[in-house]
Amino acid sequence: MAITNLLASSNPVKLDAFSYFSSLSGKQNHYLTCRLTQTTRRVQTSCCNHETSLKAVTSLEMHEADTRRNCDGVGILRFLKAKSYLVTGATGFLAKALIEKLLRASPEIGKIFLLMRSKDQESANKRPYDEIISSDLFKLLKQTHGSSYEAFMKSKLIPGIGDIGEDNLGIESEIAEMISEETDVIINCCGRTTFDDRYDSAINVNALGPAYVTGKKEGIVLETPLCIGENITSDLNIDSELKLASEAVRKFRGSEETKKLKELGFERAQHYGWENTYTFTKAMGESIIHSKRGDLPVVIIRPSIIESSYNEPSPGWIQGIRMVDPIIIAYGKGLISGFCADSTSLMDITPVDMVANAAIAVMAKHGSGGVQELKVYNVTSSSHSNPLRFGELMDLSYQHLRNSPLGETVIDLAPMKFHSSLECFSSSVYNDIRKQERDSHISTLSKKGNRRLDYFVSLARIYKPYMFFQARFDDTNTTTLIQEMSMEERKMFEFDARGIDWEHYIVNVHIPGLKRQLFQGRSS
């Protein structure tokens, strides 16, 4: 669900519904758009100074001979040095991981301008300290810089007020001009990731940037940009959809407004062959970039479901309760005994540190300019030789949670059951809640029980397309990039999903990290 694009840039320009920076100063900048995908997902990159032959090599075709690498590699550290960045959505999960790795790997980088939605500059100045500088994510940087840590961070992180949904990113013209003069790479990590979002809100933000989405597809999903008339139906007119959403806002006033706009988004997505509002509006964003980029070099990075870190800066770091996590938590607490899913469906999970590393590597490969192309990188795990299936994920969760419960109460946890229909799942949840309300002498559920039933059925309905997901993502470009990296680069910027030990990751890394996040939320 997250994406990254790269456009040569400088002074802000408004192009139809898409805001970006175009180069007027002669200094080449790059526009990276990074979308967090929960069932899809995406993140960042840059534009290159040399062409390489990209052979169609899948992970199943990799041999020992493919371990040979150019001793000079991609030149990641050389590229990062002294570069400055503009980052949107900087306090989000992926953006924070990316900022941390940039500062740790290359302390000699320039400034990182942070685009933030704030009521005033004073609030904007406070947010980096509260949400970034004081975060546990940056503990290695704290150890490295010691007493000068805060001074170092404040010298690098420059907050500014803006809004990706507005013209010129909502930045005042004088500040925008200053930022554009100094910025080399723009990384857009903003996005509305709610699957059943209001249509007007989702199209306003998500149509401004690409997305890692598949629609109702099976088989291999290629590393090719989404384009109307090619892999998006030719009768989709984005201008008409923008107008439709705008008219709906005027029409649906009052208490029913949000409900009606959510229904409209789902309706339009289904009409054009997409599962939900999120993936549909993300696809629009990618098609807009494809049609409006002109001869600017663009790179799109599509990470899959982004979960806790595998190694860096510490194993299991996570922010928030993410896509698969509500299911694991509810199961671990004994609130549900099963889920509406196919146990063989692919859980395309990628640790956040691998996504950040891939973004940086692609940024370096394509960041020197010269190639006027659009390149796509799928940063996923389903295409590799060790894909994780939903049944395996829940078996591993069971393995951990039966011995180390989520709470103080010991639950007689049983292996998860898998239901093939919403009706069967709804009946199962109803029975689970009735058992939990065993002291009740009435035949119907309590108000709390009914709210819980509605929540889990709604969750299953929204997640259903991904709980029966069997498509695989082509990763030829990503695999080729790994081959081009030097041994040192591969150690420092690891993102080869073939090296993930799923049992270790789920049992020893992810669920312990999820517990820390859960307990931290209780205490705050």
Side-chain angles (χ1 to χ4, degrees):
M1 312 251 211
I3 264 188
T4 299
N5 343 338
L6 188 117
L7 305 179
S9 63
S10 195
N11 288 0
V13 175
K14 179 69 176 178
L15 252 179
D16 293 340
F18 176 59
S19 295
Y20 68 95
F21 288 77
S22 76
S23 181
L24 296 178
S25 65
K27 176 180 181 180
Q28 175 153 26
N29 301 307
H30 310 309
Y31 175 60
L32 262 72
T33 230
C34 184
R35 303 280 150 184
L36 304 185
T37 182
Q38 252 47 32
T39 160
T40 45
R41 296 316 201 190
R42 306 129 260 92
V43 41
Q44 309 75 351
T45 344
S46 293
C47 255
C48 68
N49 58 356
H50 64 282
E51 229 1 287
T52 55
S53 172
L54 300 179
K55 299 179 182 179
V57 181
T58 67
S59 60
L60 299 178
E61 296 169 340
M62 298 294 290
H63 303 289
E64 285 298 317
D66 294 316
T67 60
R68 60 183 179 276
R69 292 162 195 84
N70 184 328
C71 61
D72 294 329
V74 177
I76 298 175
L77 293 179
R78 183 172 62 251
F79 172 80
L80 295 179
K81 187 176 181 180
K83 294 292 190 303
S84 289
Y85 305 81
L86 170 63
V87 180
T88 71
T91 59
F93 179 49
L94 176 59
K96 282 169 71 170
L98 181 59
I99 290 170
E100 191 278 339
K101 186 58 182 280
L102 285 170
L103 291 171
R104 182 159 49 86
S106 181
E108 295 178 335
I109 67 171
K111 299 173 183 176
I112 301 179
F113 296 98
L114 310 176
L115 187 71
M116 295 184 157
R117 296 181 64 181
S118 298
K119 61 181 181 180
D120 52 42
Q121 190 59 49
E122 183 179 352
S123 299
N125 291 340
K126 190 172 182 295
R127 286 189 65 189
Y129 181 84
D130 292 344
E131 301 179 53
I132 297 178
I133 296 175
S134 61
S135 170
D136 288 343
L137 173 66
F138 295 83
K139 63 183 181 181
L140 291 183
L141 279 167
K142 292 177 186 177
Q143 293 171 9
T144 299
H145 294 278
S147 60
S148 63
Y149 167 70
E150 285 192 18
F152 168 76
M153 294 293 282
K154 289 178 180 178
S155 72
K156 299 295 182 181
L157 306 181
I158 314 298
I161 300 174
D163 188 337
I164 192 174
E166 297 181 8
D167 287 358
N168 298 329
L169 307 182
I171 306 175
E172 293 182 4
S173 58
E174 290 184 5
I175 297 175
E177 185 174 354
M178 181 271 291
I179 291 176
S180 68
E181 287 293 329
E182 297 190 33
T183 299
D184 299 285
V185 181
I186 303 176
I187 306 172
N188 175 17
C189 295
C190 275
R192 296 182 66 97
T193 59
T194 303
F195 291 163
D196 60 341
D197 203 357
R198 289 172 51 128
Y199 194 39
D200 60 323
S201 301
I203 199 171
N204 185 47
V205 175
N206 293 346
L208 299 181
Y212 164 102
V213 290
T214 64
K216 298 179 179 180
K217 295 180 182 177
E218 294 184 357
I220 301 297
V221 181
L222 300 176
E223 289 176 301
T224 53
L226 296 173
C227 180
I228 294 175
E230 294 181 14
N231 41 24
I232 298 180
T233 177
S234 58
D235 61 343
L236 171 62
N237 185 304
I238 295 177
D239 288 337
S240 296
E241 295 301 314
L242 289 166
K243 183 179 179 182
L244 179 65
S246 179
E247 291 174 346
V249 173
R250 291 193 293 271
K251 178 182 177 182
F252 299 131
R253 293 292 183 182
S255 59
E256 292 288 291
E257 178 181 346
T258 296
K259 179 175 179 289
K260 292 293 186 181
L261 288 168
K262 284 186 175 183
E263 290 174 352
L264 176 63
F266 179 77
E267 195 179 287
R268 301 307 293 168
Q270 290 283 306
H271 176 76
Y272 286 108
W274 300 88
E275 296 290 358
N276 52 51
T277 307
Y278 171 76
T279 55
F280 178 45
T281 54
K282 290 285 193 169
M284 285 192 208
E286 187 165 325
S287 67
I288 289 173
I289 289 215
H290 184 272
S291 63
K292 299 295 183 183
R293 74 181 187 89
D295 61 355
L296 297 177
V298 177
V299 177
I300 298 169
I301 303 182
R302 298 171 177 164
S304 54
I305 301 169
I306 307 176
E307 286 286 4
S308 63
S309 59
Y310 194 75
N311 284 315
E312 299 181 87
S314 61
W317 176 79
I318 193 170
Q319 177 173 290
I321 306 301
R322 311 197 65 75
M323 180 182 172
V324 184
D325 303 334
I327 302 172
I328 295 175
I329 291 171
Y331 169 67
K333 289 182 175 180
L335 300 177
I336 56 174
S337 58
F339 202 68
C340 183
D342 179 352
S343 63
T344 68
S345 63
L346 294 167
M347 278 290 98
D348 203 316
I349 290 173
T350 307
V352 66
D353 50 338
M354 291 192 175
V355 177
N357 285 337
I360 294 171
V362 176
M363 189 187 302
K365 174 178 170 57
H366 294 273
S368 300
V371 179
Q372 309 299 308
E373 64 176 341
L374 191 156
K375 186 73 73 175
V376 175
Y377 289 83
N378 287 338
V379 182
T380 73
S381 60
S382 75
S383 303
H384 294 275
S385 57
N386 66 337
L388 175 68
R389 299 188 182 277
F390 186 64
E392 295 170 331
L393 169 64
M394 297 315 301
D395 283 346
L396 292 171
S397 299
Y398 167 69
Q399 178 181 324
H400 176 102
L401 294 169
R402 67 180 175 180
N403 298 320
S404 180
L406 284 175
E408 296 178 358
T409 304
V410 177
I411 297 172
D412 185 17
L413 205 61
M416 175 169 269
K417 300 172 185 175
F418 301 96
H419 303 281
S420 59
S421 68
L422 283 171
E423 291 73 22
C424 290
F425 173 68
S426 178
S427 177
S428 172
V429 175
Y430 178 88
N431 291 332
D432 288 340
I433 296 174
R434 285 296 300 142
K435 291 177 184 177
Q436 294 157 19
E437 297 185 343
R438 56 186 176 276
D439 294 334
S440 176
H441 299 292
I442 58 177
S443 58
T444 57
L445 298 180
S446 65
K447 288 184 178 180
K448 181 179 180 181
N450 273 311
R451 286 196 300 270
R452 184 175 292 175
L453 175 63
D454 289 344
Y455 167 74
F456 286 121
V457 173
S458 175
L459 188 69
R461 182 178 293 111
I462 292 171
Y463 281 15
K464 188 177 179 181
Y466 314 112
M467 295 296 105
F468 294 86
F469 184 72
Q470 294 296 339
R472 289 188 176 231
F473 295 94
D474 172 39
D475 63 347
T476 301
N477 294 341
T478 303
T479 300
T480 301
L481 175 59
I482 292 172
Q483 291 176 300
E484 293 174 355
M485 295 167 65
S486 68
M487 285 295 292
E488 288 303 311
E489 288 176 332
R490 291 195 61 176
K491 290 177 183 177
M492 192 171 187
F493 301 93
E494 177 59 55
F495 59 93
D496 190 344
R498 291 171 300 173
I500 297 176
D501 180 334
W502 290 117
E503 180 173 0
H504 165 69
Y505 176 64
I506 300 302
V507 175
N508 302 322
V509 176
H510 180 63
I511 297 184
L514 184 57
K515 283 181 175 178
R516 290 192 295 272
Q517 175 70 23
L518 191 62
F519 299 148
Q520 180 182 357
R522 287 177 183 170
S523 61
S524 60

